Amino acid sequence: MIDHNITDVGVLDKSMAIISTCEASPRMAADIAETLDLSVPTVHRLARALVTHGLLVREPTGAFRLGARFISFGLGQIARGPLRTLAEATGEACQLWVPRGSNRLCLVSEAMPQELHVELREGTQLPLADGGTAARVIEGERSDSSWVLTVSERTAGLTSISAPVETKDELVGAVCIVAPVARVTSDLGELYGTRLLVAASAIERAVNPA
C-alpha cells in the first residue's frame, strides 16, 4: 500500500495525493483510488471537499481535474498591470475578485489618490449573496453588454460595473470598477465599459496563452 503519511496530518496528505494524481490530466474517482490504494468512498469524500475549496473541478463526465484556485495563485500578479492601467485611465477604484466558496475574495485592489474614492483592502472577503456586481458575475449573471452594472444597491452612494475573467474551461474571477455616484456623469457602462472589457481580456490572454 502506498504510504501517504508525508506529514503527521493524514487527511491533508491524502488530499494532496489526490491533487497530484489529477495534475497531469482529469481522473475518475475509481482510477484515483486504484492509483493511490485508497477506497473509492474516501476519494469521493476528499475530492468533493477539494471541489468546494476550488482546488478540484468535477467535469460532466465525473472526472476530477485541477480547479481555478491553482490559477488564482498567479492571477494576482498577472492582473496587477491591467488593473493599474484601468485605474489610471478611469480615475476610479478597480479590483479583481475571485470565488472562495460562498464568498468572494479581493485579490487585487488599485485605487487612485483622490479625496473622494472607494478603497477595499486586498484580502477582503465578502459574501456572494450580498448582490454586488462582482458577486453577480461570479455566480454567472451576464448581460448583452457583457458586464453587470448596479447603482446604490449593495452600498448607497456607490455604483459599480463588473465583467468576467474566464479560462478556456471556467470563470476564475471578475474585474470591477467602483465609483461614487456623485462623480459619475452617466452610467459606468457608457463611461468605462469598453475599458473594463479590455482589462478583462488582457488578463484572460495572459491566463490562456495561445
Side-chain angles (χ1 to χ4, degrees):
M1 181 175 181
I2 294 176
D3 183 8
H4 302 292
N5 297 316
I6 298 173
T7 71
D8 59 354
V9 185
V11 172
L12 177 59
D13 290 341
K14 290 182 177 67
S15 297
M16 290 307 300
I18 291 171
I19 289 171
S20 296
T21 304
C22 298
E23 195 165 356
S25 62
R27 303 287 289 275
M28 301 295 290
D31 187 23
I32 297 170
E34 181 179 358
T35 299
L36 299 178
D37 288 334
L38 296 173
S39 70
V40 173
T42 294
V43 169
H44 271 296
R45 177 173 60 85
L46 295 176
R48 285 196 300 268
L50 293 168
V51 168
T52 298
H53 286 286
L55 294 167
L56 291 180
V57 170
R58 193 169 193 185
E59 297 186 331
T61 61
F64 294 96
R65 61 174 171 80
L66 295 188
R69 192 72 172 260
F70 286 96
I71 295 170
S72 72
F73 288 153
L75 190 58
Q77 183 175 358
I78 289 170
R80 181 76 61 187
L83 279 185
R84 185 62 184 173
T85 298
L86 183 62
E88 290 173 347
T90 62
E92 304 297 350
C94 300
Q95 301 140 7
L96 175 69
W97 294 87
V98 294
R100 288 293 183 267
S102 61
N103 295 328
R104 67 187 190 277
L105 169 71
C106 182
L107 194 62
V108 180
S109 180
E110 293 286 346
M112 300 305 295
Q114 301 192 56
E115 184 174 358
L116 180 61
H117 70 279
V118 181
E119 184 172 2
L120 277 171
R121 293 182 181 275
E122 293 176 1
T124 298
Q125 291 199 46
L126 296 174
L128 289 174
D130 72 2
T133 55
R136 293 184 183 186
V137 167
I138 287 171
E139 293 199 301
E141 183 175 329
R142 298 290 186 275
S143 68
D144 292 341
S145 55
S146 300
W147 61 71
V148 175
L149 169 73
T150 64
V151 179
S152 291
E153 289 192 18
R154 191 179 73 82
T155 303
L158 295 182
T159 179
S160 70
I161 182 174
S162 294
V165 175
E166 298 174 307
T167 68
K168 298 172 184 176
D169 301 309
E170 62 194 307
L171 180 140
V172 294
V175 175
C176 180
I177 303 173
V178 187
V181 172
R183 193 163 56 233
V184 176
T185 57
S186 60
D187 78 55
L188 285 182
E190 293 179 5
L191 288 172
Y192 305 130
T194 299
R195 292 184 184 274
L196 178 76
L197 295 179
V198 167
S201 179
I203 298 169
E204 287 180 344
R205 287 196 303 273
V207 174
N208 298 290

